[in-house]
Amino acid sequence: MHPRDPASAIATHCPYCALQCAMMLRPEPGTGGAGPTVTVEECGDFPVNRGALCGKGRTAPAVLSSRVRLTEPLVRGPGGQLEPATWEAALDAVAGGLARAGREHGPDAVGVFGGGGLTNEKAYTLGKFARVVLRTSQIDYNGRFCMSSAAAAHQRAFGLDRGLPFPLADIPRTGCVILVGSNLAETMPPALRYLTELKENGGTLIVIDPRRTRTAEQADLHLAPRPGTDLALALGLLHLVVAEGRTDEEFIAERTTGWPEARAAAMAHWPELVERLTGVPVPRLRETVRMFCEPETAMVLTARGPEQQSKGTDTVGAWINLCLATGRAGRPYSGYGCLTGQGNGQGGREHGQKADQLPGYRKLTDPAARAHVAGVWGVDPDSLPGPGRSAYELLDALGTDIRALLLMGSNPVVSAPRAAHIEERIRSLDFLAVADVVLSETAALADVVLPVTQWAEETGTTTSLEGRVLLRRQALTPPPGVRGDLDVLHGLAGRLGVEKGFPTAPEEVFGELRRASAGGPADYSGITYARIEAEQGVFWPCPAGPEEAEPHPGTPRLFLERFATDDGRARFVAVSHREAAEVPDAEYPVLLTTGRVVAQYQSGAQTRRVDELNAAAPGPFVELHPRLAARVGAVEGQPLAVVSRRGRVVVPARITDSIRADTVFMPFHWPGEGRANTLTNPALDPVSRMPEFKVCAVRVEPLPAAAAG
């Protein structure tokens, strides 16, 4: 076959964010003994990215190189060093370590920690492995740190959680978008086109962010509230909606419950109080309400800014209340949506990695759900453990209640809040096994490291932020010495006494997942690999009907006829402003917020191994306003110490007037002395158990000249 023949390219999707941009991979022979690789080509007919890719997607094949990845198992030897080992020896060691902890301390002494980048098949199998083989309740995943607050608020208001209840293509067709705490231009660059098209179509864009980001620069109106006050801001806007007579009383009466209580709570947040709390002037609050309410349609989209707070669920709930009160939900081209971050953050929690959920988004405490899933798995429902700890609480229990941990596709040494403490807890474990594609900072602490396949070397499904189930096709044979995660779990299950029920073929696993999800809120039973390929993805819920009936078309748009609650009505939830868990004081007078930069991704475990991305974003920094810089004596490019109650980091200063003068910003992609999560506060939302990544109190101080030199 000619190497440029289109038929030789394999259609797949990017391994990074939840946009899951389509791309074509063309296998190429290796040079210099490097082995075969792939080149990326655009896939212009996929409706989400229409051929566009960000730098991370374009350079994704670089991480496939044997120069930067793991290619053989590693076992910690008698001298304390990780040493190459055979797969049989490595799997024996993992099975032995997990079994020993369970035998000596009970099943819940064994923990499992997953990742939002695992395919649906792997996430499903990992959850099954924890509950059927290990019999432990202690399983959660790093997606808890992504959109769990929005998920909880979705469930509370709508009865169902799907990041976006409508396709991205609906965004340019609405009249106004309020984008809260999202910098799409850097986190999901191909999605920025939807906001550009919105404006080209005559719609307006309001961006809410304490920084004037590249996304905020595109806005018709930019509000820069004090970090941690998004809840007060939403309540203040709802107050004005009521005071100005802009509520949709017909929609409220016909399709909602709980409005009197929610209205009363909002009316306690009058504009001048909200200005004092948030720093947003009253005229800008009024302008926001006018821009949002005058068009026939409008949307609110939130991301990590309002969600990664100790009151994130209530904050998202307040924005949902604003949509419900104005009739901007359950109607075409209107609604509330959450921009999921991780590649399979949506599917990862739907199918069993989350501490309180079974496949199909079923509740682990529901007897009927337990019976259904246990029937698919061929086990006694009573043998399934109950809900376990949330992600941070699980990590915090390492070395005490939890003595051994199996970790797949996550790097909490960099990504967890209060990261120095979590690193200590990981080091205190009796046994740690990590399956990953690279030797991350967490994997470097393991007793056994298992090298596993990457996105281009395996087949499997993911679920995008739209709720669109997609298929990645294998384009390359993995290097010798590398195995798939499904193979790892199959091998461990057999060694731990469960010989059946853990197949290694992804499509076989997906078939079982379909049966396990059937009848659940996230019903995938009508979705097949063939349908995904033929239809460019299928939106869940998509139940399987009778064989003679037409296949279910999938559900691109939720809630148009009824919400997923028992009575079909959306629920207002009365919420009130409260301060962040930690506020500035004399010792720590400045607020810290964290986020991403365009050239790096999450903990950077993969992107920090790509030369082109490192050239664009070589290391950490702290962004601060010129007035704050003058007050503390900071100099552009010179080292600056940032100190919180949990630790101290040293990074170069980046001085800019695009941030509030009472706030500093740090990206969280780097380990070591510049690790932003050394500083962050693990205070948890009482509903979602989301840590408060987005706001904590710090002080900033320049280093003495000798130390800086």
Side-chain angles (χ1 to χ4, degrees):
M1 181 177 292
H2 191 279
R4 298 262 66 100
D5 185 337
S8 68
I10 293 94
T12 189
H13 295 269
C14 178
Y16 291 114
C17 80
L19 205 58
Q20 286 297 280
C21 293
M23 59 173 64
M24 302 296 290
L25 296 182
R26 186 179 299 279
E28 303 281 3
T31 59
T37 184
V38 292
T39 56
V40 171
E41 299 177 2
E42 73 173 41
C43 185
D45 64 344
F46 186 65
V48 173
N49 62 308
R50 289 176 257 168
L53 292 170
C54 73
K56 294 185 290 291
R58 285 188 296 98
T59 60
V63 188
L64 297 167
S65 169
S66 297
R67 292 189 296 271
V68 300
R69 63 167 321 159
L70 294 164
T71 57
E72 58 186 349
L74 303 174
V75 175
R76 199 165 297 279
Q81 302 299 312
L82 286 172
E83 301 172 354
T86 66
W87 266 99
E88 296 309 305
L91 290 174
D92 286 346
V94 175
L98 300 179
R100 184 166 54 252
R103 183 172 61 250
E104 294 178 359
H105 304 285
D108 277 358
V110 183
V112 176
F113 199 85
L118 301 182
T119 63
N120 289 319
E121 292 80 0
K122 293 191 282 190
Y124 170 84
T125 304
L126 186 61
K128 179 180 179 182
F129 178 83
R131 295 178 173 107
V132 171
V133 178
L134 299 176
R135 302 290 180 93
T136 181
S137 68
Q138 301 303 303
I139 175 173
D140 212 80
Y141 82 129
N142 63 14
R144 175 80 67 169
F145 300 156
C146 177
M147 61 167 290
S148 58
S149 292
H154 268 260
Q155 292 277 10
R156 210 160 63 171
F158 304 138
L160 180 69
D161 159 42
R162 197 178 83 187
L164 289 181
F166 42 75
L168 285 161
D170 283 4
I171 292 174
R173 303 176 69 176
T174 194
C176 177
V177 168
I178 299 180
L179 185 64
V180 190
S182 171
N183 183 11
L184 275 181
E186 300 209 43
T187 59
M188 295 180 176
L192 194 63
R193 72 166 64 207
Y194 293 102
L195 303 181
T196 302
E197 292 171 5
L198 165 77
K199 297 181 67 175
E200 290 172 349
N201 292 343
T204 54
L205 172 64
I206 302 168
V207 172
I208 297 172
D209 197 302
R211 304 164 63 222
R212 187 167 181 81
T213 63
R214 289 172 54 194
T215 307
E217 289 173 354
Q218 310 299 314
D220 297 284
L221 180 64
H222 171 219
L223 309 182
R226 176 174 165 259
T229 63
D230 308 271
L231 175 53
L233 180 61
L235 288 162
L237 296 176
L238 183 53
H239 176 111
L240 287 171
V241 165
V242 175
E244 296 177 5
R246 296 181 183 271
T247 55
D248 187 330
E249 295 297 330
E250 182 180 354
F251 178 88
I252 291 170
E254 292 181 357
R255 299 200 61 191
T256 73
T257 62
W259 172 232
E261 296 80 6
R263 179 180 56 202
M267 296 313 288
H269 298 77
W270 59 94
E272 292 75 16
L273 171 62
V274 171
E275 176 178 318
R276 189 163 69 248
L277 291 170
T278 66
V280 177
V282 171
R284 291 207 158 206
L285 299 175
R286 295 188 184 279
E287 180 67 1
T288 301
V289 168
R290 183 193 66 78
M291 291 171 64
F292 185 67
C293 291
E294 284 188 353
E296 291 186 6
T297 57
M299 295 176 178
V300 173
L301 304 176
T302 68
R304 304 302 80 76
E307 298 163 19
Q308 288 182 326
Q309 298 185 29
S310 61
K311 53 183 181 293
T313 303
D314 283 356
T315 301
V316 173
W319 290 106
I320 291 175
N321 286 350
L322 179 67
C323 291
L324 294 175
T326 54
R328 269 64 163 113
R331 288 175 170 170
Y333 313 119
S334 286
Y336 163 78
C338 165
L339 299 169
T340 308
Q342 295 190 76
N344 198 33
Q346 181 75 49
R349 70 180 179 282
E350 291 168 6
H351 298 301
Q353 283 191 100
K354 200 159 171 276
D356 56 351
Q357 288 178 188
L358 288 168
Y361 232 131
R362 288 181 158 91
K363 294 181 180 178
L364 191 52
T365 54
D366 178 359
R370 293 170 66 88
H372 173 83
V373 174
V376 174
W377 290 350
V379 299
D380 184 341
D382 292 337
S383 71
L384 299 178
R389 293 175 172 89
S390 71
Y392 180 79
E393 293 165 304
L394 188 157
L395 295 171
D396 189 40
L398 299 180
T400 53
D401 293 344
I402 300 174
R403 309 301 289 267
L405 181 69
L406 173 64
L407 187 147
M408 284 187 151
S410 184
N411 189 18
V413 165
V414 179
S415 64
R418 198 186 174 196
H421 169 72
I422 295 305
E423 181 176 343
E424 290 177 0
R425 301 317 319 144
I426 289 173
R427 289 180 181 275
S428 72
L429 282 164
D430 295 343
F431 181 79
L432 171 64
V434 174
D436 210 332
V437 300
V438 297
L439 190 67
S440 70
E441 287 72 23
T442 305
L445 304 180
D447 296 285
V448 181
V449 182
L450 303 174
V452 291
T453 51
Q454 298 187 53
W455 58 289
E457 301 162 347
E458 60 188 14
T459 294
T461 61
T462 62
T463 305
S464 75
L465 77 173
E466 300 178 296
R468 189 194 300 253
V469 184
L470 302 166
L471 182 64
R472 294 179 186 163
R473 281 290 190 190
Q474 181 179 352
L476 283 178
T477 300
V482 172
R483 295 186 183 181
D485 294 275
L486 296 179
D487 294 89
V488 169
L489 294 172
H490 172 85
L492 292 177
R495 284 168 170 79
L496 292 168
V498 181
E499 299 290 343
K500 297 181 179 179
F502 290 87
T504 60
E507 193 163 8
E508 183 179 352
V509 174
F510 191 74
E512 185 180 306
L513 181 158
R514 293 171 59 207
R515 296 193 300 276
S517 73
D523 191 334
Y524 282 34
S525 60
I527 304 175
T528 64
Y529 278 19
R531 279 197 66 182
I532 295 171
E533 287 191 297
E535 301 173 27
Q536 295 185 313
V538 181
F539 292 85
W540 71 262
C542 182
E547 288 189 12
E548 65 276 6
E550 286 292 319
H552 190 283
T555 315
R557 296 172 183 86
L558 298 170
F559 314 140
L560 295 183
E561 297 179 1
R562 68 188 310 275
F563 294 96
T565 55
D566 291 341
D567 60 6
R569 291 171 173 259
R571 303 185 188 97
F572 282 97
V573 178
V575 295
S576 296
H577 170 71
R578 58 185 186 273
E579 286 284 4
E582 188 172 85
V583 296
D585 58 17
E587 188 176 2
Y588 301 97
V590 178
L591 290 166
L592 167 70
T593 192
T594 64
R596 286 169 47 188
V597 297
V598 66
Q600 301 288 352
Y601 181 73
Q602 304 300 75
S603 75
Q606 296 176 66
T607 51
R608 285 188 277 110
R609 288 166 167 81
V610 179
D611 292 342
E612 181 179 331
L613 300 179
N614 283 332
F621 58 87
V622 59
E623 191 175 276
L624 68 165
H625 192 275
R627 290 204 299 272
L628 177 58
R631 189 162 74 244
V632 302
V635 177
E636 174 72 24
Q638 293 300 306
L640 189 67
V642 186
V643 187
S644 78
R645 289 176 173 85
R646 288 153 296 281
R648 178 178 185 269
V649 303
V650 176
V651 288
R654 184 173 293 183
I655 301 171
T656 173
D657 61 4
S658 66
I659 190 169
R660 290 176 56 98
D662 58 1
T663 300
V664 297
F665 166 82
M666 285 186 65
F668 51 64
H669 310 292
W670 288 274
E673 194 176 42
R675 180 175 59 187
N677 279 316
T678 295
L679 306 171
T680 49
N681 191 353
L684 301 180
D685 180 288
V687 180
S688 68
R689 315 309 287 170
M690 168 74 83
E692 193 151 62
F693 287 100
K694 281 295 181 280
V695 53
C696 70
V698 299
R699 66 173 181 267
V700 290
E701 50 196 25
L703 299 185

